[in-house]
Amino acid sequence: MKIALTGKGGVGKTTISASLSRYFADQGYNVLTVDADPDANLGLALGMTEEMIASIVPISEMRDLVEERTAAETGSFGSMFRMNPEVADIPERYAKEFNGVKLLTMGTVDTGGSGCVCPEHVLLKMLMSHLVLYQKDVVIMDMEAGIEHLGRGTAGAVDAFIVVVEPGVRSIQTFHKVKSMAMDIGVKQVYVIGNKIRNDGDIAFLTEKIGADNIIGFMNYRDAISESDRNNQSPYDDPVMKEDIAVLGKKILAIVEEKKK
């Protein structure tokens, strides 16, 4: 099963990505979670310490690796380099395991020029394709906020997109854009998790605007989740959160398996 979580900034997609990853690991799955957000903080949501996070080097910053696999110097423009580098061994060699989840941090490429093609970008693109197409069991990708990654086709071979939304017009607008663009890259399954729900009115609002058939479930707003962030703890360690995530996880498994038949 390969899913990518997305949504506008601040909706809680990293919290849910981390919690789903821990849930599937608890169920005995081999879980690889990919932090594909340039503002990488998935490790903290998994429960890693700040020291552990500091020890992780994003793939995009591994200069020797990039140069070895693409046969070009990092940051180079106009030079010849390998467009299909070998990446099959990277997850096992460079993913960091914690709480039963293997975390791979992609990083970003800060290079001037719109639409540039450079060795770092080529390696990341091939790596994302490998993870999505060939990695067994459960792959959960925590995408960057917004819809830019869809324009790049970064996660075009996932089983499903899950858009995390909150009760608001802007969040719903992001869902509709994701659904439209996902179809363009061949992803037909796009679902919603409603987050930060405070009352029945929020549920009714999202159901009306999105449609019940598109919604996997809802997560209530709870101060304990914000407190876990302040205390540098994984939200999944909260007993209520763990129960709520289990409900969502079972639904996701059922949906994906049904669609594969």
Side-chain angles (χ1 to χ4, degrees), residues 206-218:
L206 290 177
T207 302
E208 177 187 354
K209 297 295 184 181
I210 293 172
D213 292 342
N214 295 316
I215 299 175
I216 292 174
F218 300 95

PDB file of all heavy atoms in Angstrom, residues 206-218:
ATOM      1  N   LEU A 206     -18.120  20.005   6.222  1.00  0.00           N
ATOM      2  CA  LEU A 206     -17.193  19.275   5.355  1.00  0.00           C
ATOM      3  C   LEU A 206     -17.922  18.229   4.512  1.00  0.00           C
ATOM      4  O   LEU A 206     -17.605  18.037   3.335  1.00  0.00           O
ATOM      5  CB  LEU A 206     -16.105  18.602   6.191  1.00  0.00           C
ATOM      6  CG  LEU A 206     -15.088  19.540   6.838  1.00  0.00           C
ATOM      7  CD1 LEU A 206     -14.102  18.758   7.709  1.00  0.00           C
ATOM      8  CD2 LEU A 206     -14.327  20.341   5.788  1.00  0.00           C
ATOM      9  N   THR A 207     -18.903  17.575   5.099  1.00  0.00           N
ATOM     10  CA  THR A 207     -19.658  16.558   4.359  1.00  0.00           C
ATOM     11  C   THR A 207     -20.414  17.180   3.198  1.00  0.00           C
ATOM     12  O   THR A 207     -20.451  16.623   2.089  1.00  0.00           O
ATOM     13  CB  THR A 207     -20.637  15.832   5.297  1.00  0.00           C
ATOM     14  OG1 THR A 207     -19.908  15.228   6.379  1.00  0.00           O
ATOM     15  CG2 THR A 207     -21.403  14.748   4.553  1.00  0.00           C
ATOM     16  N   GLU A 208     -20.983  18.346   3.431  1.00  0.00           N
ATOM     17  CA  GLU A 208     -21.728  19.029   2.370  1.00  0.00           C
ATOM     18  C   GLU A 208     -20.788  19.483   1.246  1.00  0.00           C
ATOM     19  O   GLU A 208     -21.106  19.336   0.062  1.00  0.00           O
ATOM     20  CB  GLU A 208     -22.451  20.239   2.952  1.00  0.00           C
ATOM     21  CG  GLU A 208     -23.193  21.066   1.900  1.00  0.00           C
ATOM     22  CD  GLU A 208     -23.764  22.358   2.442  1.00  0.00           C
ATOM     23  OE1 GLU A 208     -23.690  22.586   3.675  1.00  0.00           O
ATOM     24  OE2 GLU A 208     -24.273  23.162   1.635  1.00  0.00           O
ATOM     25  N   LYS A 209     -19.635  20.023   1.608  1.00  0.00           N
ATOM     26  CA  LYS A 209     -18.741  20.602   0.608  1.00  0.00           C
ATOM     27  C   LYS A 209     -17.904  19.551  -0.135  1.00  0.00           C
ATOM     28  O   LYS A 209     -17.514  19.775  -1.287  1.00  0.00           O
ATOM     29  CB  LYS A 209     -17.795  21.604   1.282  1.00  0.00           C
ATOM     30  CG  LYS A 209     -18.486  22.800   1.920  1.00  0.00           C
ATOM     31  CD  LYS A 209     -19.175  23.660   0.863  1.00  0.00           C
ATOM     32  CE  LYS A 209     -19.794  24.910   1.504  1.00  0.00           C
ATOM     33  NZ  LYS A 209     -20.501  25.750   0.482  1.00  0.00           N
ATOM     34  N   ILE A 210     -17.644  18.433   0.523  1.00  0.00           N
ATOM     35  CA  ILE A 210     -16.741  17.435  -0.058  1.00  0.00           C
ATOM     36  C   ILE A 210     -17.477  16.188  -0.523  1.00  0.00           C
ATOM     37  O   ILE A 210     -17.108  15.577  -1.526  1.00  0.00           O
ATOM     38  CB  ILE A 210     -15.644  17.064   0.964  1.00  0.00           C
ATOM     39  CG1 ILE A 210     -14.730  18.274   1.200  1.00  0.00           C
ATOM     40  CG2 ILE A 210     -14.814  15.868   0.497  1.00  0.00           C
ATOM     41  CD1 ILE A 210     -13.736  18.086   2.310  1.00  0.00           C
ATOM     42  N   GLY A 211     -18.533  15.824   0.194  1.00  0.00           N
ATOM     43  CA  GLY A 211     -19.278  14.610  -0.140  1.00  0.00           C
ATOM     44  C   GLY A 211     -18.871  13.464   0.767  1.00  0.00           C
ATOM     45  O   GLY A 211     -17.668  13.191   0.935  1.00  0.00           O
ATOM     46  N   ALA A 212     -19.847  12.779   1.333  1.00  0.00           N
ATOM     47  CA  ALA A 212     -19.578  11.720   2.303  1.00  0.00           C
ATOM     48  C   ALA A 212     -18.727  10.602   1.722  1.00  0.00           C
ATOM     49  O   ALA A 212     -17.889  10.012   2.414  1.00  0.00           O
ATOM     50  CB  ALA A 212     -20.903  11.161   2.838  1.00  0.00           C
ATOM     51  N   ASP A 213     -18.905  10.292   0.434  1.00  0.00           N
ATOM     52  CA  ASP A 213     -18.170   9.192  -0.187  1.00  0.00           C
ATOM     53  C   ASP A 213     -16.668   9.472  -0.285  1.00  0.00           C
ATOM     54  O   ASP A 213     -15.878   8.537  -0.435  1.00  0.00           O
ATOM     55  CB  ASP A 213     -18.714   8.907  -1.593  1.00  0.00           C
ATOM     56  CG  ASP A 213     -20.119   8.325  -1.558  1.00  0.00           C
ATOM     57  OD1 ASP A 213     -20.523   7.835  -0.482  1.00  0.00           O
ATOM     58  OD2 ASP A 213     -20.803   8.358  -2.593  1.00  0.00           O
ATOM     59  N   ASN A 214     -16.290  10.745  -0.214  1.00  0.00           N
ATOM     60  CA  ASN A 214     -14.873  11.115  -0.333  1.00  0.00           C
ATOM     61  C   ASN A 214     -14.160  11.183   1.016  1.00  0.00           C
ATOM     62  O   ASN A 214     -12.940  11.356   1.056  1.00  0.00           O
ATOM     63  CB  ASN A 214     -14.744  12.482  -1.020  1.00  0.00           C
ATOM     64  CG  ASN A 214     -15.235  12.460  -2.444  1.00  0.00           C
ATOM     65  OD1 ASN A 214     -14.938  11.542  -3.198  1.00  0.00           O
ATOM     66  ND2 ASN A 214     -16.006  13.473  -2.823  1.00  0.00           N
ATOM     67  N   ILE A 215     -14.904  11.037   2.101  1.00  0.00           N
ATOM     68  CA  ILE A 215     -14.343  11.252   3.434  1.00  0.00           C
ATOM     69  C   ILE A 215     -14.086   9.922   4.129  1.00  0.00           C
ATOM     70  O   ILE A 215     -14.983   9.100   4.282  1.00  0.00           O
ATOM     71  CB  ILE A 215     -15.289  12.123   4.279  1.00  0.00           C
ATOM     72  CG1 ILE A 215     -15.479  13.500   3.614  1.00  0.00           C
ATOM     73  CG2 ILE A 215     -14.733  12.298   5.694  1.00  0.00           C
ATOM     74  CD1 ILE A 215     -16.490  14.389   4.322  1.00  0.00           C
ATOM     75  N   ILE A 216     -12.849   9.727   4.565  1.00  0.00           N
ATOM     76  CA  ILE A 216     -12.488   8.524   5.305  1.00  0.00           C
ATOM     77  C   ILE A 216     -12.953   8.626   6.750  1.00  0.00           C
ATOM     78  O   ILE A 216     -13.455   7.674   7.333  1.00  0.00           O
ATOM     79  CB  ILE A 216     -10.963   8.301   5.263  1.00  0.00           C
ATOM     80  CG1 ILE A 216     -10.527   7.945   3.843  1.00  0.00           C
ATOM     81  CG2 ILE A 216     -10.543   7.211   6.248  1.00  0.00           C
ATOM     82  CD1 ILE A 216      -9.024   7.846   3.683  1.00  0.00           C
ATOM     83  N   GLY A 217     -12.780   9.798   7.341  1.00  0.00           N
ATOM     84  CA  GLY A 217     -13.174   9.976   8.733  1.00  0.00           C
ATOM     85  C   GLY A 217     -12.776  11.341   9.243  1.00  0.00           C
ATOM     86  O   GLY A 217     -12.278  12.192   8.490  1.00  0.00           O
ATOM     87  N   PHE A 218     -12.984  11.534  10.543  1.00  0.00           N
ATOM     88  CA  PHE A 218     -12.740  12.835  11.162  1.00  0.00           C
ATOM     89  C   PHE A 218     -11.882  12.673  12.416  1.00  0.00           C
ATOM     90  O   PHE A 218     -11.952  11.656  13.106  1.00  0.00           O
ATOM     91  CB  PHE A 218     -14.061  13.502  11.543  1.00  0.00           C
ATOM     92  CG  PHE A 218     -14.986  13.750  10.382  1.00  0.00           C
ATOM     93  CD1 PHE A 218     -15.982  12.838  10.068  1.00  0.00           C
ATOM     94  CD2 PHE A 218     -14.845  14.880   9.591  1.00  0.00           C
ATOM     95  CE1 PHE A 218     -16.838  13.056   8.992  1.00  0.00           C
ATOM     96  CE2 PHE A 218     -15.688  15.106   8.514  1.00  0.00           C
ATOM     97  CZ  PHE A 218     -16.684  14.193   8.217  1.00  0.00           C
TER      98      PHE A 218
END
